[in-house]
Amino acid sequence: MNQTLTAQELHDLRLPIVGMTCASCVSRVERALEAVPGVERASVNLASETATVTAPAALAPARLAAAVEAAGYKVGTSTIDLTVEGMTCASCVGRVERALQQVPGVTGASVNLATERARIEVAGSADHTLPALLAAVEAAGYRARTLAPAAGAEDAAKARTDRRELLQVSAAILLSLPLVAPMVLQPFGIHAMLPGWWQFVLATPVQFILGWRFYVGAAKALRAGTGNMDLLVALGTSAGWGLSTWLLLRTPAEAMPHLYYEASAVVIALILLGKYFEARAKRQTTAAIRALMALRPETARVRRDGAELEVPSADVRVGELVVVRPGERIAVDGVVTEGATHADESLITGESVPVPKHVGDAVTGGAINGDGLIVVRTTAVGAESTLARIVRLVENAQAAKAPIQRLVDRVSAVFVPVVIGIALLTLAGWWLHTGDLEHAVITAVAVLVIACPCALGLATPTAIMAGTGVAARHGILIKDAEALERAHHIDVVAFDKTGTLTEGKPSVVAFEPHGLPHAEALRLAGAIQAGSEHPLARAVIEAASAEGVALPAASDVTALPGRGVAATVEGRALRLGSARLMAELDVDLAPLAAPAEQLRDEGRTVSYLAGSAGSQWRLLALIAFGDALKASAPAAIQRLRDMGVRTVMLTGDNAGSARVAARRLGIDEVVAEILPQDKAAVLARLKEGGKVVAMVGDGVNDAPALAAADVGIAMSTGTDVAMHAAGITLMRGDPALVADAIAISRRSRAKIWQNLFWAFIYNVLGLPLAALGLLSPVIAGAAMALSSVSVVSNALLLRRWRPGR
């Protein structure tokens, strides 16, 4: 293992790997990458054909690419062309090239002073690296912009690959049909077997031209001292072709025995057909990613120097004004500065109802503008935009390796050598038992052909890709495969109250002054809250504004986490907060005890305002807040109970209002008047007895509890801190999505086990049958092709999942 580096020095780099065919390839690429000095971890995913490498940012991707090539594979690259403005001499060229080459993922950069263009080779997709490249050029003192976007280049390349593979498959089938047709017609009394040399002519192109890929893959595996699916296919079909050719050469035409060209040719044709369908099916598992990336418009209409210019979206900068016409997609994250409209954010949040947007409201890039023209001030672009972060999160989850995959990796590491050993034993056993070398060879060929490590490698990642993809389409972002796998075990869900089960928009429902006029007490309460963004603070400020009360300035404002806030207003020390805070200050609450008790019984949150009077603190007012429960919350809690999941509410509210809310919701347990730092201790208690506990929250105060839970679930309506600490993010503030997240986790887990069952059962049943001579190579080849296709197709059934199921 390489020397471990601190987390600050490491970053994750995703590399597309070209040429992998089975689980054995995955193990070989992982070993090659982990052998590179500085690499901390490497995880390779067969379904997405990517490698995630944790290494220092300074480690050149070219070194990783060289390691992959030494193992017999290639790292896929993309080419990006930029126009660079501001260069005047050769030193400028060198500076720009150095800046570009330091961007993670860049494998090469060339800058031309005469044309003012830069051509950059990057590992993987250009979309992920482009914002960093533009920023690097600007940091070097120049300005870069993208050339005309090649929107359909990637799709066109995939279409050409599809056509080429389909042509190869069609040619293999057409050449194999004349070989296998006489065998199909023979039971009907039709004997139309082709002469031996005709069989040779038809089978040889299939074997050595259309099947050449298997020889290339096998040679690379042998050079690396290992084996893979290509080696099994090459050995098996070559044995069949070689035996047939040997018989053809040594036997007179009039005494020609049965040849086995049809077995080798049909096996290759069937495997090519299976790989073609497998590749198409695998692309469907990434449909969610492609749908998300398609949301990003290629161009944006920007106001610059009093004019509207249409520029590539990648050229828009933070702070610029973007004009969005009705029916267009919003190109950037930002805030509406002019106009009003409705935005369709369904492909981002899963919510089909258009959201009204007015001046001051935030909009998300990728959403569809409805019926009004709006002007948006850009707040985030490129990799920092909401859409880019969602795509990155889903990609990371799909590229990650689930814990259960480690078992599969251990099996696949010895799979090919074991199969070759079984084939050799089969050959020797049948030859010694019957003395018939031909039959022994064909039986061994069947053993080699039916063994398929492809299905083993695809079983887990395809289910994860399909599961995380369909979840993302419905507003559930799963951070990694471990979160997806762990969520199905959840026994207890702990909810924060405010903003999670309630609307998070409290209002002042009662204000009882004590010893001060109403307006004066409200003026002091509003002043102490004026600098806070807490929902309760906003409610006090809105109440003061509604009564026309002017607020004085406050100084020495200090938040008291979980208790309230301290400040000085007009030279007077004030405290506003919970009964816990008042008890610490030894404030006498008896004068307002009766209304406080009644308000708590009604489910209100009660706070107090106190002011200093010499060395004493005196009660100045009672403030009661009301916060409506979310409409979907009761049904969400009931659904969790129906799923066998226990629910707990954790809140800093007083016990009375917390109990009322819990009773209305059907919550099983309430822990009230709890400080944020104590939530982790409650979660530790809930975990006793091996329980798997999830925490659902939306605020900065919830981040420690989200990290401490077995599965953290954050509402995206909350803060980035909470979302970063969580394993699952809900893209809209609907508690019903919590049950949906558990449901899709359970469905995905079930698909993983189904896929592993089918992957193993093909080999567990197929290998003995082939070794006993009960399967012909043709049937074995069909079974091998079917195994991979069936595993991917079974995973794709997850795409039918819908919330509430």
Side-chain angles (χ1 to χ4, degrees):
M1 178 59 67
N2 300 304
Q3 182 181 3
T4 302
L5 303 174
T6 62
Q8 288 77 12
E9 297 173 308
L10 299 174
H11 79 131
D12 287 338
L13 179 64
R14 295 183 71 243
L15 303 172
I17 308 297
V18 179
M20 295 190 299
T21 58
C22 64
S24 299
C25 302
V26 169
S27 300
R28 187 156 77 249
V29 175
E30 283 183 350
R31 288 195 300 270
L33 289 170
E34 288 176 345
V36 176
V39 171
E40 179 68 15
R41 288 182 303 276
S43 176
V44 179
N45 187 308
L46 177 61
S48 60
E49 297 180 328
T50 58
T52 303
V53 182
T54 302
L59 180 63
R63 293 180 62 188
L64 300 174
V68 172
E69 289 188 11
Y73 305 91
K74 288 186 178 180
V75 172
T77 61
S78 301
T79 301
I80 302 175
D81 290 321
L82 300 177
T83 294
V84 182
E85 300 172 357
M87 296 189 298
T88 59
C89 62
S91 64
C92 297
V93 170
R95 191 178 310 145
V96 173
E97 284 186 348
R98 287 193 297 273
L100 291 171
Q101 288 168 350
Q102 289 173 0
V103 175
V106 172
T107 58
S110 175
V111 179
N112 187 308
L113 179 62
T115 61
E116 294 187 326
R117 290 189 177 183
R119 170 158 288 186
I120 306 103
E121 292 286 334
V122 300
S125 171
D127 293 330
H128 299 89
T129 315
L130 181 57
L133 295 173
L134 297 174
V137 174
E138 290 198 359
Y142 307 90
R143 179 174 174 81
R145 55 187 175 84
T146 56
L147 296 175
E154 188 173 347
D155 290 339
K158 288 180 179 177
R160 287 194 299 271
T161 301
D162 276 352
R163 285 195 297 270
R164 183 174 65 252
E165 291 184 352
L166 182 58
L167 182 62
Q168 292 176 348
V169 170
S170 301
I173 292 173
L174 289 174
L175 289 171
S176 301
L177 277 176
L179 296 172
V180 75
M183 298 181 62
V184 175
L185 297 173
Q186 195 168 357
F188 301 97
I190 303 174
H191 299 281
M193 187 65 69
L194 293 175
W197 286 105
W198 276 106
Q199 295 183 47
F200 174 84
V201 169
L202 290 170
T204 300
V206 178
Q207 184 71 43
F208 296 108
I209 298 177
L210 300 175
W212 184 246
R213 65 168 69 180
F214 302 116
Y215 289 97
V216 172
K220 290 178 179 178
L222 289 174
R223 282 200 299 269
T226 184
N228 60 5
M229 182 210 76
D230 293 326
L231 180 60
L232 297 178
V233 175
L235 283 175
T237 58
S238 296
W241 183 91
L243 175 62
S244 299
T245 303
W246 180 69
L247 292 173
L248 178 64
L249 292 173
R250 68 182 290 271
T251 310
E254 62 274 9
M256 187 66 63
H258 178 78
L259 303 178
Y260 301 97
Y261 286 120
E262 86 286 343
S264 297
V266 171
V267 164
I268 288 176
L270 287 172
I271 293 173
L272 290 176
L273 181 63
K275 298 301 284 184
Y276 174 75
F277 285 131
E278 176 192 316
R280 289 177 62 88
K282 281 199 297 186
R283 280 197 289 275
Q284 292 180 50
T285 63
T286 60
I289 285 287
R290 293 199 303 275
L292 286 170
M293 295 181 71
L295 296 180
R296 181 174 45 213
E298 295 169 7
T299 61
R301 195 171 291 101
V302 180
R303 282 186 181 174
R304 290 178 182 169
D305 301 324
E308 290 186 10
L309 305 174
E310 190 165 307
V311 302
S313 296
D315 288 353
V316 180
R317 296 292 177 260
V318 172
E320 287 192 308
L321 295 178
V322 176
V323 180
V324 188
R325 295 173 179 171
E328 293 181 338
R329 285 200 182 274
I330 301 170
V332 297
D333 288 1
V335 176
V336 178
T337 60
E338 298 177 29
T341 189
H342 286 76
D344 179 358
E345 301 175 339
S346 57
L347 278 177
I348 300 171
T349 66
E351 176 57 65
S352 58
V353 179
V355 182
K357 301 291 182 181
H358 302 90
V359 172
D361 289 339
V363 293
T364 304
I368 299 176
N369 183 26
D371 49 5
L373 184 145
I374 56 174
V375 178
V376 176
R377 183 173 299 280
T378 305
T379 58
V381 294
E384 298 306 314
S385 68
T386 299
L387 182 59
R389 287 188 293 166
I390 291 173
V391 170
R392 195 158 59 242
L393 194 65
V394 177
E395 282 186 331
N396 289 341
Q398 294 189 340
K401 184 173 291 188
I404 195 174
Q405 184 69 22
R406 299 187 188 104
L407 170 64
V408 178
D409 290 345
R410 287 196 294 270
V411 172
S412 63
V414 298
F415 186 86
V416 173
V418 168
V419 170
I420 293 175
I422 294 173
L424 291 173
L425 289 174
T426 301
L427 173 65
W430 278 101
W431 192 8
L432 292 173
H433 178 65
T434 65
D436 186 346
L437 179 60
E438 295 177 25
H439 179 72
V441 169
I442 292 303
T443 304
V445 167
V447 170
L448 290 170
V449 170
I450 197 169
C452 181
C454 306
L456 287 175
L458 293 170
T460 299
T462 50
I464 289 172
M465 291 171 71
T468 54
V470 72
R473 285 205 302 273
H474 294 289
I476 303 168
L477 297 184
I478 299 172
K479 190 175 184 179
D480 52 40
E482 190 170 352
L484 177 69
E485 190 170 345
R486 189 181 297 166
H488 88 283
H489 281 305
I490 290 174
D491 302 299
V492 182
V493 174
F495 287 92
D496 174 56
K497 179 189 171 188
T498 304
T500 303
L501 294 172
T502 67
E503 293 290 348
K505 299 176 182 177
S507 59
V508 175
V509 295
F511 188 86
E512 296 280 347
H514 177 67
L516 286 178
H518 178 92
E520 176 64 13
L522 186 57
R523 189 175 78 95
L524 295 177
I528 196 174
Q529 296 280 36
S532 174
E533 289 299 317
H534 193 282
L536 297 183
R538 290 198 296 270
V540 175
I541 296 168
E542 288 172 4
S545 175
E547 295 191 21
V549 175
L551 303 180
S555 60
D556 302 324
V557 179
T558 305
L560 306 173
R563 294 171 295 159
V565 62
T568 300
V569 177
E570 297 176 338
R572 185 176 188 179
L574 297 173
R575 301 288 186 272
L576 193 155
S578 64
R580 179 198 292 262
L581 177 61
M582 298 299 109
E584 292 175 2
L585 301 175
D586 198 24
V587 176
D588 181 13
L589 302 181
L592 296 177
E597 188 64 28
Q598 180 181 347
L599 288 165
R600 290 192 188 98
D601 290 342
E602 295 172 0
R604 307 304 187 185
T605 299
V606 176
S607 295
Y608 300 91
L609 175 67
S612 65
S615 60
Q616 302 292 318
W617 288 89
R618 186 165 64 89
L619 179 65
L620 299 181
L622 172 152
I623 311 171
F625 301 90
D627 189 6
L629 295 174
K630 290 182 176 178
S632 62
I637 298 301
Q638 183 58 50
R639 187 169 167 222
L640 286 171
R641 297 180 72 176
D642 293 342
M643 297 170 72
V645 177
R646 186 163 166 267
T647 53
V648 179
M649 178 193 292
L650 306 183
T651 178
D653 267 359
N654 60 75
S657 62
R659 280 195 299 269
V660 171
R663 190 166 55 248
R664 292 174 181 171
L665 291 169
I667 296 281
D668 296 313
E669 181 184 348
V670 178
V671 181
E673 300 179 16
I674 183 174
L675 297 177
Q677 59 267 31
D678 295 333
K679 289 182 179 179
V682 175
L683 292 176
R685 173 180 65 80
L686 294 173
K687 290 181 184 180
E688 291 176 359
K691 301 290 188 193
V692 177
V693 178
M695 173 70 196
V696 186
D698 71 334
V700 173
N701 290 342
D702 296 322
L706 290 170
D710 293 306
V711 181
I713 303 176
M715 299 279 193
S716 71
T717 48
T719 65
D720 285 345
V721 176
M723 293 170 64
H724 181 73
I728 297 175
T729 298
L730 310 180
M731 290 306 295
R732 61 182 191 273
D734 186 353
L737 289 179
V738 175
D740 290 330
I742 297 174
I744 188 58
S745 172
R746 291 179 177 180
R747 291 282 293 275
S748 299
R749 173 78 174 190
K751 285 298 177 189
I752 289 173
W753 280 108
Q754 289 171 17
N755 282 351
L756 287 175
F757 169 80
W758 286 114
F760 278 107
I761 205 69
Y762 273 111
N763 293 296
V764 169
L765 296 180
L767 280 171
L769 290 174
L772 292 171
L774 300 176
L775 289 179
S776 72
V778 172
I779 300 300
M784 177 186 175
L786 182 62
S787 64
S788 297
V789 175
S790 64
V791 161
V792 179
S793 300
N794 186 50
L796 286 174
L797 293 177
L798 280 171
R799 301 194 336 169
R800 299 180 180 179
W801 178 84
R802 295 292 180 270
R805 293 168 53 182

